[in-house]
Amino acid sequence: MTFRPEDEIAEYISRFAHPPVEQVREFAASARPSLVAKGSFLVALGDSVHPLYFVHNGAIRYMLIVPDSGDDVTKDFSFAPTFAASFGSAVSGQPARVGIVAMTDCVVSAWPFQQLTTLYDAHAEWQKLGRKLAEWLYVRKEDREIAFLTRTSEQRYVALTLAFPDKIIQVPQHYLASYLGITPESLSRLKARITSRAKK
């Protein structure tokens, strides 16, 4: 079967809302397709232009730099298929406070972020899509905060592997450790403990 990016975009949108079919087709067809090489920025820190991406294939990482230490910290991951943007900065019109980096080679479609927000006035279902995406991001953020307050690093790691059993292997270990809030060495010891217990 021929790969049709616009069909994948339309199918993903339908998980959240059901705007008029013709409007969805026009939106999907207007996207700018591209290949983003592993290690390249989709959004760099400080960018003032805010694209909205749909990731058809691959994995991305949301990151920021800690001002005092200069450490590169992993805020989150996303795996295809998914929308991606530096949402907070795009909505507020500020320079990007969170960067987005391709962890693998990625096939993406892109639009100006405003192209989505202008559709909110076109039909109530576009507003529903925006609300559902915002709710999903909020719940994900809250779950992560609660996990840091109530779970050990090992419990957070196990939960992550259960949530993304086939995709977590795409995440380099130092990024995974950063996401969990531990050092790569601590992650290695943690994984060794889990493996040792599994063998008993």
Side-chain angles (χ1 to χ4, degrees), residues 136-195:
W136 180 80
L137 288 169
Y138 178 83
V139 170
R140 185 171 172 82
K141 176 177 181 292
E142 185 177 75
D143 286 347
R144 177 162 160 73
E145 291 170 346
I146 291 172
F148 263 92
L149 292 171
T150 62
R151 295 182 175 182
T152 65
S153 56
E154 181 175 323
Q155 289 170 332
R156 297 198 302 274
Y157 171 76
V158 170
L160 198 60
T161 58
L162 292 175
F164 305 106
D166 300 323
K167 297 181 177 180
I168 203 67
I169 60 173
Q170 300 178 69
V171 181
Q173 293 302 289
H174 58 292
Y175 294 149
L176 185 56
S178 173
Y179 177 78
L180 293 169
I182 59 179
T183 66
E185 294 76 16
S186 295
L187 177 58
S188 294
R189 290 193 294 270
L190 182 157
K191 292 170 70 174
R193 288 198 304 271
I194 293 173
T195 300

Side-chain angles (χ1 to χ4, degrees), residues 10-68:
E11 192 278 333
Y12 189 83
I13 288 174
S14 71
R15 299 182 190 180
F16 298 92
H18 299 278
V21 173
E22 285 304 316
Q23 291 181 8
V24 174
R25 287 176 180 167
E26 289 177 9
F27 174 70
S30 69
R32 177 175 54 84
S34 61
L35 173 65
V36 181
K38 177 181 178 179
S40 299
F41 278 92
L42 286 79
V43 176
L45 292 169
D47 277 358
S48 58
V49 176
H50 295 291
L52 171 69
Y53 291 98
F54 186 86
V55 183
H56 297 279
N57 185 42
I60 59 174
R61 178 174 75 98
Y62 294 84
M63 54 77 64
L64 51 90
I65 301 296
V66 178
D68 292 340

Side-chain angles (χ1 to χ4, degrees), residues 2-11 28 31 33 54 56 107-109:
T2 303
F3 173 71
R4 288 172 51 87
E6 59 269 28
D7 291 342
E8 189 172 29
I9 294 166
E11 192 278 333
F54 186 86
H56 297 279
V107 178
V108 304
S109 295

Side-chain angles (χ1 to χ4, degrees), residues 112-125:
F113 189 83
Q114 294 79 3
Q115 190 165 335
L116 175 62
T117 57
T118 56
L119 284 169
Y120 293 165
D121 294 327
H123 196 280
E125 285 293 308

